[in-house]
Amino acid sequence: MKAVAYELERVRSVNDAWSALARDEFYKAIAGGQSLGAMLNLRLAQPERLIDLDAIAELRASTVQGDELFLGAMTTHAAIEDGKVPDVTHGMLAHVAHGIAYRAVRNRGTVGGSLCHADPAADWVSAMAVIGATCDVVGPHGTRGVPAEQFVRSAFEPDLNPGEILAQVRVPRFSANARWSYRKHCRKTGEFALAIVTGVVDPDRGIERLVLGALDGPVTAHCGPDLYARLADPAARAALLDASESGLSYERRAWHGDLLASVVADLGAKQ
């Protein structure tokens, strides 16, 4: 099957991008195209016009300002994997990037494109939520910051209004004593995850955060300083899964349970 006929418009600034998208609800932005390209060929997406963001240099810029990394939405997974982006997470960003699909996909796929596609099984959806990142959205009504854990409203539904684009992701700097763990279950290498569990403990910032991914959207658990100590108890882990994954199959619950136990062990070992 081939894509339906569509027009392609290449824009060169963020303002041009949201202005073009605001002209018609059937216009759609294309970033890396690693997910949208397949959807076009299967005719799951049938836009009248694609707004190509590839030539917008400011969307590829990544700088550290104060205690935040300003990560351009068009930054590729490969750029993060290869260390071309400043590391403010003690290697977590590079680790997540390295595990995405295959190198050919990582060369073209982008952080912003992945988040806006809003596939719950995509790595950046869960990773940015557990990191506590903020998505800066630009559109006809200005700029607004959306916490990453709220950016994916539900499966394939990002928090983007007509005419808006994701310009950058603000990633907070981890303190020297921060610890992280990221684990996922795939049937084979390169596939989207069937289960994701990831956690961050940053005692200097008073943060303990856990995310269960590959669900309808990222499920985030915030707790006090005893979160991972309590989850060392298998019964506490089972209770968390019961509360977070009601209605899911036994197999998927088991995958999340195994990953949760591994994440708790990882973070305990790093203390």
Side-chain angles (χ1 to χ4, degrees):
M1 189 179 294
K2 297 294 185 182
V4 297
Y6 60 84
E7 297 178 346
L8 182 67
E9 179 178 347
R10 171 169 275 200
V11 293
R12 298 189 177 278
S13 73
V14 171
N15 287 344
D16 288 346
W18 65 253
S19 295
L21 288 168
R23 292 200 302 266
D24 194 301
E25 62 178 313
F26 295 107
Y27 291 4
K28 188 172 181 64
I30 183 168
Q34 297 306 289
S35 295
L36 181 57
M39 293 179 69
L40 290 170
N41 285 336
L42 291 171
R43 298 198 176 186
L44 296 174
Q46 300 185 27
E48 294 178 359
R49 176 175 295 207
L50 289 181
I51 308 303
D52 186 359
L53 309 180
D54 192 60
I56 305 178
E58 60 191 292
L59 293 184
R60 295 189 181 278
S62 297
T63 60
V64 176
Q65 300 179 30
D67 288 331
E68 287 185 312
L69 166 65
F70 288 70
L71 184 65
M74 288 292 290
T75 303
T76 63
H77 314 314
I80 298 173
E81 177 185 15
D82 294 345
K84 295 179 180 179
V85 170
D87 179 15
V88 296
T89 62
H90 304 332
M92 183 174 181
L93 290 179
H95 172 84
V96 173
H98 177 70
I100 295 174
Y102 303 97
R103 180 66 190 203
V105 171
R106 298 195 292 273
N107 285 339
R108 291 290 303 169
T110 64
V111 173
S114 177
L115 289 171
C116 292
H117 184 54
D119 188 328
D123 293 85
W124 291 124
V125 170
S126 294
M128 291 304 180
V130 79
I131 286 170
T134 301
C135 299
D136 285 339
V137 174
V138 180
H141 303 294
T143 301
R144 59 188 180 95
V146 182
E149 65 188 88
Q150 299 173 17
F151 185 72
V152 176
R153 293 169 175 164
S154 62
F156 303 103
E157 185 185 1
D159 186 0
L160 289 174
N161 297 318
E164 290 185 329
I165 66 167
L166 175 60
Q168 64 186 7
V169 182
R170 286 183 279 129
V171 179
R173 184 192 296 274
F174 286 8
S175 73
N177 295 314
R179 309 186 300 277
W180 59 267
S181 177
Y182 185 89
R183 288 180 175 264
K184 63 179 179 177
H185 172 76
C186 305
R187 287 204 184 275
K188 66 178 182 179
T189 301
E191 286 188 340
F192 279 96
L194 295 170
I196 296 173
V197 180
T198 177
V200 169
V201 177
D202 195 341
D204 294 354
R205 296 191 296 145
I207 290 173
E208 290 203 10
R209 188 179 290 118
L210 181 77
V211 166
L212 307 178
L215 307 173
D216 187 49
V219 175
T220 306
H222 300 271
C223 197
D226 63 341
L227 172 63
Y228 290 95
R230 287 194 298 105
L231 290 178
D233 179 1
R237 295 197 298 271
L240 175 64
L241 291 173
D242 285 341
S244 301
E245 296 193 87
S246 178
L248 290 187
S249 68
Y250 173 82
E251 185 178 36
R252 188 175 293 272
R253 192 185 305 272
W255 293 332
H256 278 90
D258 290 344
L259 294 176
L260 178 54
S262 297
V263 166
V264 171
D266 286 347
L267 293 170
K270 291 177 181 178
Q271 293 184 24

